[in-house]
C-alpha cells in the first residue's frame, strides 16, 4: 500500500476435499492442503478488517509535484456500510418459535432460555458484524462440562482469520472437518481439528492428541454472508478508494491555492531576500519588474458532483438507502420507501436472513 493503490478481492475461496473420510491416516495431508487455501483467505480477511478500521490505501499516498502538500484523508464509508448492515440485520435478538402443530412451547421456551444464558444474542451481533466485514463467519457449539440442565452447552463465535471448514466435493458438500488454528507461546502452530467422529490436536503437522468426537457432527458451523462469501463493502473497494483520493486531492487543491507560488518577472531575488519579504509582508520592485501568484483554483462544484456520483453508486451497489431527503406533497410511505432505497435494503436483508437461517439450522441440530 506504499503507493496509495488499493487491491481488489473477489470473496473467500471455499475449501473442499476429495477424500471420502478424514481419519488419522490422512488428517495431516488434508490439513496441510486446506491451510494453503486458508492462507490466501486469511490475508484477504485481514486486509478487509484493517480497511474497515481505517487502515486504507490512501494513507500510503505520495505526490511527485509539491510533495510537501500531500493530504491523506480517510472517509471511512466501509465502517458506515458494515455498521448499517449489521444494525439493520440484528436490531432485535434472535428468538426461536415452533413450526409444529403440537404444543412444544415448554421446549421452545427452554431453548430460548439456554441461548440467553449462553449470551448468544451478543454472539449473533459479533457473527453478523464479522460476515458483513469479510464475507463469512464461524460459530462453534460444545457441551459444557458439569453445566447440567441450566447451562448445557457453550457457544463460541470464532475468528474467521483462524477458522475454516473443509467440505466434501460430493453431492451436498457436507462438512468434513472444522479447524481452528492458534500460535503457541514457543511459535509452533496448533490446529484443533474436528471431524464427525474424532477430534485431533496437531502441532506443526504432527498429531499430538486424538480422541473421539461424541457429538457425531462437526461442531464448527460456517455462516456465509452470501454464496460468493464477499463482504458488504468489498465489492465497492475501488469506489471507496476513489472517494478517498478525490477528497485528499480536494484538500490539496485548497492548500495549494492558499500556498500559491510567487512569480517574480524580471527580478532576481536571493533566498535571504525572500525571507525578508515574508517578514515585512510587502515587496518592492523596479519599474520593469512584475510579481504575481501562480494559482489555479480547483472547481469545487464539479469535484462535489463527482464525489456525490461515486457515493451514490456505492449506496446503490451495496443496497443501502440514500440520504437525499427529497420530499413531495404527493409522497406516500411506500413511495418514500421505494425512492430512498429502503425497499432494496429490506430485500437484501431478507436474502442474508435466508443464508443465516440455513447455518442456524445446522447449529440447532448440534445444540
Amino acid at each position: 500500500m506504499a503507493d496509495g493503490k488499493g487491491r481488489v478481492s473477489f470473496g473467500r475461496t471455499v475449501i473442499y476435499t476429495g477424500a471420502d473420510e478424514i481419519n488419522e491416516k490422512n488428517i495431516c495431508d488434508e490439513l496441510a492442503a486446506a491451510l494453503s487455501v486458508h492462507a490466501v483467505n486469511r490475508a484477504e480477511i485481514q486486509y478487509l478488517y484493517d480497511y474497515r478500521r481505517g487502515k486504507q490505501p490512501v494513507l500510503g499516498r505520495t505526490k511527485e509535484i509539491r510533495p510537501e502538500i500531500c493530504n491523506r484523508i480517510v472517509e471511512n464509508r466501509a465502517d458506515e456500510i458494515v455498521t448499517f448492515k449489521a444494525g439493520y440485520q440484528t436490531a432485535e435478538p434472535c428468538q426461536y418459535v415452533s413450526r409444529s402443530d403440537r404444543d412444544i412451547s415448554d421446549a421452545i421456551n427452554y431453548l430460548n432460555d439456554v441461548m440467553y444464558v449462553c449470551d448468544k444474542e451478543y454472539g449473533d451481533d459479533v457473527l453478523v458484524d464479522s460476515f458483513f466485514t469479510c464475507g463469512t463467519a464461524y460459530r462453534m457449539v460444545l457441551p459444557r462440562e458439569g453445566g447440567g440442565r441450566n447451562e448445557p452447552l457453550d457457544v463460541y463465535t470464532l475468528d474467521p482469520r483462524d477458522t475454516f471448514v473443509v467440505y466434501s466435493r460430493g453431492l451436498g458438500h457436507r462438512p468434513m472437518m472444522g479447524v481452528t488454528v492458534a500460535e503457541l507461546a514457543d511459535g509452533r502452530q496448533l490446529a484443533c481439528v474436528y471431524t464427525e467422529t474424532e477430534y485431533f490436536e496437531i502441532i506443526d503437522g504432527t498429531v499430538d492428541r486424538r480422541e473421539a468426537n461424541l457429538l457425531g457432527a462437526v461442531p464448527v458451523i460456517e455462516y456465509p454472508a452470501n454464496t460468493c462469501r464477499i463482504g458488504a463493502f468489498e465489492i465497492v473497494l475501488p469506489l471507496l478508494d476513489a472517494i478517498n483520493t478525490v477528497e485528499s486531492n480536494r484538500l490539496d487543491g485548497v492548500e495549494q491555492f492558499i500556498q500559491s507560488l510567487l512569480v517574480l518577472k524580471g527580478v532576481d531575488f536571493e533566498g535571504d531576500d525572500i525571507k525578508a519579504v515574508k517578514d515585512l509582508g510587502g515587496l518592492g520592485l523596479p519599474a520593469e519588474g512584475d510579481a504575481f501568484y501562480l494559482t489555479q483554483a480547483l472547481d469545487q462544484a464539479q469535484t462535489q458532483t463527482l464525489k456525490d456520483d461515486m457515493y451514490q453508486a456505492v449506496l446503490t451497489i451495496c443496497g443501502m438507502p440514500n440520504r437525499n431527503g427529497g420530499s413531495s406533497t404527493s409522497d406516500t410511505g411506500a413511495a418514500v420507501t421505494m425512492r430512498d432505497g429502503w425497499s432494496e435494503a429490506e430485500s437484501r436483508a431478507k436474502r442474508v436472513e435466508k443464508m443465516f437461517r440455513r447455518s442456524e439450522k445446522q447449529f440447532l441440530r448440534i445444540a
Side-chain angles (χ1 to χ4, degrees):
M1 293 184 357
D3 59 354
K5 303 286 186 180
R7 62 189 288 180
V8 179
S9 52
F10 306 97
R12 313 290 75 76
T13 302
V14 183
I15 306 176
Y16 292 108
T17 177
D20 296 329
E21 182 184 0
I22 296 179
N23 51 39
E24 190 178 17
K25 295 179 180 179
N26 62 357
I27 182 67
C28 292
D29 292 338
E30 292 293 335
L31 178 63
L35 283 172
S36 65
V37 180
H38 175 68
V40 178
N41 286 342
R42 188 184 194 282
E44 293 176 348
I45 290 171
Q46 185 63 59
Y47 178 81
L48 294 171
Y49 268 124
D50 289 341
Y51 197 100
R52 186 200 167 181
R53 289 165 50 214
K55 187 179 178 182
Q56 299 181 11
V58 73
L59 296 177
R61 176 175 178 258
T62 58
K63 278 181 61 185
E64 294 182 4
I65 308 300
R66 301 198 72 182
E68 73 277 7
I69 299 178
C70 182
N71 291 280
R72 302 174 179 90
I73 307 300
V74 174
E75 193 169 303
N76 201 341
R77 298 295 182 179
D79 183 69
E80 176 193 3
I81 293 169
V82 173
T83 302
F84 171 81
K85 292 276 190 180
Y88 195 75
Q89 198 75 44
T90 55
E92 298 294 334
C94 178
Q95 292 287 322
Y96 301 111
V97 295
S98 173
R99 295 175 62 90
S100 173
D101 295 334
R102 296 181 293 114
D103 182 12
I104 55 172
S105 56
D106 290 342
I108 294 297
N109 290 335
Y110 171 64
L111 177 62
N112 283 315
D113 288 343
V114 168
M115 295 306 165
Y116 178 80
V117 171
C118 293
D119 207 9
K120 182 176 176 290
E121 178 182 347
Y122 170 76
D124 286 343
D125 287 344
V126 176
L127 194 88
V128 170
D129 192 83
S130 178
F131 72 54
F132 277 132
T133 301
C134 59
T136 192
Y138 297 90
R139 171 176 281 158
M140 181 164 68
V141 54
L142 292 173
R144 174 179 291 185
E145 187 175 351
R149 177 176 171 79
N150 292 330
E151 300 180 60
L153 49 84
D154 285 313
V155 180
Y156 304 96
T157 303
L158 305 176
D159 191 330
R161 290 168 291 190
D162 301 320
T163 310
F164 58 91
V165 174
V166 179
Y167 299 93
S168 169
R169 290 191 182 277
L171 194 63
H173 302 301
R174 67 186 178 93
M176 297 293 289
M177 66 176 180
V179 183
T180 62
V181 181
E183 185 174 324
L184 300 176
D186 56 7
R188 293 182 299 166
Q189 184 189 66
L190 168 66
C192 300
V193 183
Y194 293 87
T195 69
E196 290 183 342
T197 57
E198 294 180 287
Y199 167 71
F200 299 90
E201 289 184 1
I202 300 174
I203 300 177
D204 283 351
T206 303
V207 177
D208 185 68
R209 179 183 173 189
R210 176 192 177 198
E211 61 185 46
N213 175 15
L214 301 180
L215 293 174
V218 177
V220 179
I221 302 103
E222 182 178 13
Y223 284 72
N226 45 66
T227 55
C228 296
R229 289 164 172 79
I230 193 167
F233 63 86
E234 186 176 351
I235 199 168
V236 292
L237 281 176
L239 283 170
L240 299 181
D241 290 336
I243 290 174
N244 286 340
T245 300
V246 167
E247 197 63 21
S248 299
N249 283 329
R250 189 180 197 175
L251 196 55
D252 285 351
V254 173
E255 195 169 340
Q256 286 171 173
F257 181 80
I258 295 172
Q259 301 181 26
S260 300
L261 297 174
L262 178 63
V263 177
L264 300 173
K265 185 177 180 180
V267 182
D268 188 14
F269 266 98
E270 299 294 335
D272 292 338
D273 296 330
I274 293 295
K275 291 180 182 178
V277 169
K278 290 181 179 179
D279 293 337
L280 294 172
L283 181 67
L285 297 176
E288 68 276 8
D290 190 12
F292 57 90
Y293 279 103
L294 187 64
T295 64
Q296 179 63 49
L298 187 68
D299 190 321
Q300 293 291 339
Q302 290 186 7
T303 303
Q304 185 64 44
T305 300
L306 173 62
K307 180 184 170 185
D308 290 345
D309 179 68
M310 290 190 293
Y311 181 53
Q312 189 61 41
V314 168
L315 296 179
T316 302
I317 294 170
C318 293
M320 291 177 59
N322 60 45
R323 306 294 192 271
N324 288 338
S327 62
S328 169
T329 55
S330 61
D331 269 356
T332 63
V336 172
T337 300
M338 294 291 290
R339 183 196 64 211
D340 289 350
W342 286 100
S343 60
E344 178 68 13
E346 179 68 18
S347 65
R348 298 282 185 100
K350 288 179 178 179
R351 288 192 64 187
V352 172
E353 186 177 346
K354 290 177 184 177
M355 298 290 294
F356 187 91
R357 249 186 228 162
R358 185 173 186 272
S359 298
E360 192 75 358
K361 290 175 185 176
Q362 186 180 349
F363 159 75
L364 286 174
R365 290 188 193 104
I366 302 171

